[in-house]
């Protein structure tokens, strides 16, 4: 029933232009309470001798939201502390409802809440059903939050650049038609904390202890790692970097560690979760040129190669495996085979362009990035995280990092690129965060005869040129990676500091100059790019 109420909102977003609503319609829904444009209220001539203040129309005046709040026993909090602001505003909004609706809410409130009943029974099925109801309510409020952002916050930010410098005008932009500070209020109603991150609606120890014996097959184990890692990152960082959780509850820690051991992965969100196991086809029924992947095809090939299926058709790669490279280095290094490898090394560069098109740098830096952070080389969790029921001492793991991707490691080894000791140590440590088959694939390449040595000893100018094209393509890819990091990690924080006000949470500072994997990101990326260029070969004589 909660979810069914979202349909009117979706219809609303289909037919109402956000700019038209904000610039023309919205003011006619505004009241004269909490409104700087009518700060003293409105005088009703012949009725009252003094101005009166009434709030404008608001979704908070709907009986539906408040009915489910009372029924489910939802207490509106900020960071786990009851919010008088939200409760008082909602209570006031009831006076704008029809009397019959007010009476219904009062009668509902006089009865024991469903929450109290569920808590007293200790029935797992009942708890699950209750949580599904709460999640549906949260989903509806999240959708409401998205609508407000679309119809009020985004148009307001656009218009602020065009003759909207008055303090009163800018103050009214952040308020709902009911007179409340709308984004703060809505986030509170969804049980958001002060950093803008969603908190859990029930005590976390109510989560059942999951039994891994029901997982069947590699895909289900990978999916379990993906889900448990997302839950873990959300739990640890839900209160921001200033109040991270220092203990992972056993009902999450035990299954997460068991799944991780089964897969040979660490119990934290890794690149293989975030990218390799987190995708779908855009056109599931499509074939041929219309069939597109939502992640780089290069990664698909390498993942397939690591599992021993080297005969992929996704890219024009030569038909040989790491073992075959060792057996016949001459074949791998023939110019006609080197050209498609150069194509893959560069991967047309546009593979990495998608973040620029779809991910707002400010949102990534202020909201998303902290959930990719780990608890190794991170000042916010300097001693690591205690996995309850697994280890009494804190464990330290790095966060998700592009250095955990098999692609660059494979090309480094294949082309014989050698990095500085500090960079090499970090890269080798990142291999511990790869699936075992990926590590084995890289080790196979590393153990094969050196392609670089073969090119040097061959005296073949055409072969040397093809090899250098591969190296240059790899360096170009790393230069582009540097540009991405500059845009998302260097420029974004400076802009965030310059902003006086924003609907975005305060950006994290603990990893301001480091990557989510814990490295000194700019010096590391410049070093590996420069060392890649040093691998270029020069004709002798």
């Amino acid at each position: 029933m909660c979810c069914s109420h979202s349909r009117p909102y979706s219809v609303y977003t289909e037919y109402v232009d956000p700019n038209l609503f904000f610039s023309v319609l919205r003011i006619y829904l505004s009241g004269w309470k909490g409104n700087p444009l009518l700060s003293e209220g409105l005088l009703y001539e012949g009725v009252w001798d003094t101005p009166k203040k009434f709030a404008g129309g608001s979704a908070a005046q709907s009986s539906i939201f408040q009915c489910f709040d009372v029924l489910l026993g939802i207490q509106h909090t900020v960071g786990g502390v009851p919010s008088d602001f939200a409760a008082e505003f909602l209570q006031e909004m009831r006076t704008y409802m029809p009397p019959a609706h007010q009476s219904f809410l009062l009668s509902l409130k006089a009865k024991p809440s469903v929450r109290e009943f569920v808590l007293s029974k200790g029935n797992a099925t009942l708890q699950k059903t209750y949580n599904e109801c709460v999640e549906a309510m949260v989903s509806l409020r999240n959708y409401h939050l998205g609508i407000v952002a679309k119809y009020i916050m985004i148009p307001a930010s656009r218009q602020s650049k065009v003759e909207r410098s008055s303090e009163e005008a800018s103050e009214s932009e952040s308020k709902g038609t009911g007179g409340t500070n709308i984004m703060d209020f809505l986030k509170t109603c969804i049980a958001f904390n002060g950093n803008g991150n969603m908190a859990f609606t029930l005590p976390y120890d109510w989560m059942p202890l999951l039994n891994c014996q029901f997982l069947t097959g590699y895909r289900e184990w990978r999916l379990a790692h993906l889900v448990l890692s997302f839950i873990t990152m959300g739990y640890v960082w839900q209160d921001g970097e200033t109040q991270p959780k220092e203990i992972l509850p056993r009902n999450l820690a035990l299954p997460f560690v068991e799944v991780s051991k089964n897969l040979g992965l660490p119990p934290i969100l890794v690149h293989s979760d975030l990218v390799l196991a987190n995708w779908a086809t855009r056109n599931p029924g499509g074939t041929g040129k219309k069939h597109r992947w939502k992640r780089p095809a290069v990664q698909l090939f390498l993942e397939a190669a690591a599992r021993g299926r080297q005969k992929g058709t996704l890219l024009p790669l030569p038909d040989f495996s790491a073992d075959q490279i060792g057996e016949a280095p001459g074949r791998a290094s023939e110019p006609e085979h080197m050209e498609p490898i150069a194509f893959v090394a560069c991967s047309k560069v546009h593979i990495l362009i998608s973040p620029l098109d779809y991910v707002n740098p400010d949102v990534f830096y202020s909201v998303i990035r902290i959930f990719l952070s780990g608890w190794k080389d991170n000042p916010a969790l300097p001693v690591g995280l205690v996995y309850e029921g697994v280890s009494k001492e804190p464990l330290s793991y790095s966060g998700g990092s592009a250095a955990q991707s098999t692609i660059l490691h494979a090309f480094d080894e294949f082309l014989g690129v050698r990095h500085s000791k500090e960079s090499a140590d970090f890269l080798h440590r990142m291999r511990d965060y790869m699936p075992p088959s990926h590590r084995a694939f890289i080790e196979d390449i590393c153990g094969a005869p050196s392609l670089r040595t073969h090119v040097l000893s061959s005296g073949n100018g055409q072969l040397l040129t093809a090899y250098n094209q591969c190296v240059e393509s790899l360096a170009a890819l790393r230069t582009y990676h540097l540009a991405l990091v500059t845009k998302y990690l260097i420029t974004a924080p400076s802009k965030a500091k310059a902003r006086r006000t924003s609907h975005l949470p305060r950006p994290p500072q603990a990893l301001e100059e480091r990557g989510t994997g814990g490295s000194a990101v700019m010096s590391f990326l410049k070093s590996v790019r420069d060392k890649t260029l040093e691998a270029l070969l020069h004709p002798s004589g």
Side-chain angles (χ1 to χ4, degrees):
M1 186 174 179
C2 279
C3 288
S4 65
H5 192 56
S6 64
R7 178 58 188 161
Y9 282 129
S10 61
V11 172
Y12 182 74
T13 59
E14 290 169 7
Y15 295 106
V16 182
D17 179 83
N19 295 319
L20 180 65
F21 173 81
F22 186 81
S23 302
V24 180
L25 302 178
R26 183 172 179 252
I27 193 170
Y28 295 105
L29 304 179
S30 303
W32 25 96
K33 180 172 183 176
N35 187 342
L37 302 177
L38 276 172
S39 56
E40 299 300 320
L42 181 71
L43 181 65
Y44 288 71
E45 190 177 33
V47 180
W48 292 296
D49 294 331
T50 56
K52 297 294 180 181
K53 296 181 179 182
F54 294 106
S58 169
Q61 296 166 7
S62 166
S63 312
I64 298 176
F65 285 105
Q66 300 213 31
C67 172
F68 284 115
D69 279 348
V70 174
L71 185 67
L72 297 173
I74 293 174
Q75 300 294 320
H76 296 294
T77 64
V78 177
V81 179
S83 169
D84 292 338
F85 147 70
E88 288 174 3
F89 178 74
L90 287 169
Q91 187 65 40
E92 181 191 353
M93 289 298 100
R94 291 184 187 180
T95 63
Y96 291 78
M97 297 178 187
H101 291 217
Q102 295 180 45
S103 298
F104 178 72
L105 284 169
L106 287 172
S107 64
L108 201 60
K109 196 170 183 180
K111 299 176 181 179
S113 72
V114 172
R115 180 186 176 87
E116 292 173 354
F117 176 76
V118 173
L119 286 169
S120 67
K121 292 297 180 182
N123 183 295
T125 303
L126 202 56
Q127 291 167 16
K128 180 182 177 183
T129 304
Y130 171 85
N131 282 339
E132 287 173 352
C133 292
V134 173
E135 287 164 3
M137 192 69 176
V138 169
S139 177
L140 179 57
R141 280 186 156 133
N142 265 323
Y143 191 75
H144 187 189
L145 190 64
I147 288 176
V148 168
K150 179 177 181 179
Y151 282 85
I152 296 179
M153 306 312 295
I154 294 175
S157 65
R158 289 173 180 166
Q159 290 198 14
S160 63
K161 300 178 181 178
V162 187
E163 298 179 1
R164 294 184 64 85
S165 58
S166 123
E167 283 189 17
E168 286 191 347
S170 61
E171 185 181 346
S172 64
E173 285 173 357
S174 65
K175 290 184 176 291
T177 49
T180 183
N181 187 315
I182 192 163
M183 294 301 282
D184 288 347
F185 170 73
L186 290 176
K187 288 178 181 179
T188 299
C189 288
I190 306 173
F192 272 70
N193 62 28
N195 294 300
N197 305 319
M198 199 166 87
F200 293 91
T201 53
L202 278 177
Y204 201 75
D205 54 14
W206 276 74
M207 176 178 167
L209 181 60
L210 303 176
N211 192 334
C212 297
Q213 71 177 8
F214 298 107
L215 295 174
T216 57
Y218 180 74
R219 291 173 63 89
E220 286 193 6
W221 284 92
R222 283 291 296 270
L223 178 59
H225 197 277
L226 169 68
V227 172
L228 291 170
S229 64
F230 269 72
I231 295 174
T232 295
M233 304 310 269
Y235 177 76
V236 171
W237 299 114
Q238 62 178 307
D239 292 320
E241 66 173 357
T242 58
Q243 293 180 303
K245 305 298 182 186
E246 298 178 354
I247 300 176
L248 192 65
R250 67 188 305 275
N251 48 1
L252 179 54
L254 289 175
F256 194 16
V257 169
E258 182 180 350
V259 169
S260 299
K261 286 182 177 178
N262 180 278
L263 294 171
L265 292 170
I268 192 172
L269 180 70
V270 293
H271 177 271
S272 63
D273 294 315
L274 197 62
V275 179
L276 300 184
N278 188 30
W279 60 273
T281 56
R282 290 177 179 170
N283 181 19
T287 57
K289 292 183 178 180
K290 293 184 179 180
H291 197 64
R292 293 291 183 269
W293 298 96
K294 284 187 178 177
R295 63 180 171 121
V298 177
Q299 291 172 346
L300 288 171
F301 167 79
L302 285 173
E303 188 177 35
R307 292 197 300 265
R309 296 191 288 110
Q310 287 79 16
K311 296 184 179 180
T313 58
L314 293 170
L315 288 173
L317 289 167
D319 182 17
F320 53 81
S321 68
D323 290 336
Q324 291 169 326
I325 292 172
E327 294 168 2
R331 183 184 176 201
S333 57
E334 292 170 3
E336 62 268 27
H337 287 306
M338 292 289 285
E339 289 176 3
I341 294 172
F343 167 77
V344 177
C346 183
S347 56
K348 288 190 173 180
V349 176
H350 74 265
I351 284 177
L352 290 180
I353 292 178
S354 55
L356 296 177
D357 296 333
Y358 299 108
V359 182
N360 182 298
D362 294 339
V363 173
F364 173 80
Y365 189 82
S366 299
V367 181
I368 300 173
R369 184 172 183 247
I370 191 171
F371 294 104
L372 306 179
S373 304
W375 25 96
K376 182 181 178 68
D377 300 324
N378 187 344
L381 275 172
V383 299
L385 180 73
V386 173
Y387 288 70
E388 189 178 44
V390 177
S391 172
K392 293 181 179 179
E393 298 299 321
L395 303 177
S396 297
Y397 295 104
S398 298
S401 169
Q404 296 167 7
S405 167
T406 318
I407 298 174
L408 298 179
H409 290 257
F411 285 123
D412 277 346
E413 295 295 347
F414 185 71
L415 297 172
V417 176
R418 294 293 174 257
H419 297 292
S420 68
K421 184 180 185 306
E422 184 179 2
S423 297
D425 288 346
F426 175 74
L427 287 168
H428 276 82
R429 180 160 63 83
M430 289 297 100
R431 292 183 187 179
D432 294 336
Y433 293 77
M434 298 177 185
S437 57
H438 290 216
R439 294 197 296 269
F441 180 65
I442 295 171
E443 289 166 5
D444 283 347
I445 298 175
C446 187
S450 168
L451 174 65
R452 178 183 173 84
T453 301
H454 176 76
V455 173
L456 275 171
S457 62
S458 70
N460 186 319
Q462 188 181 2
L463 190 59
L464 185 144
T465 299
Y467 172 87
N468 281 343
Q469 286 176 347
C470 293
V471 173
E472 288 168 354
S473 295
L474 186 57
L477 184 59
R478 282 184 156 134
T479 297
Y480 192 78
H481 190 187
L482 262 170
L484 283 179
V485 168
T486 299
K487 183 178 181 69
Y488 283 85
L489 299 187
I490 306 302
T491 306
S494 62
K495 287 183 177 179
K497 290 177 183 177
R499 287 195 305 263
R500 292 184 179 180
T501 58
S502 172
H503 63 283
L504 294 174
R506 179 174 172 270
Q509 296 178 321
L511 290 176
E512 198 166 84
E513 297 180 358
R514 307 186 77 82
T516 48
S519 66
V521 64
M522 291 303 287
S523 60
F524 168 73
L525 291 177
K526 287 178 181 177
S527 173
V528 295
R529 188 271 313 272
D530 293 345
K531 287 295 182 181
T532 301
L533 288 171
E534 288 181 14
L536 288 169
L537 297 176
H538 303 284
S540 59

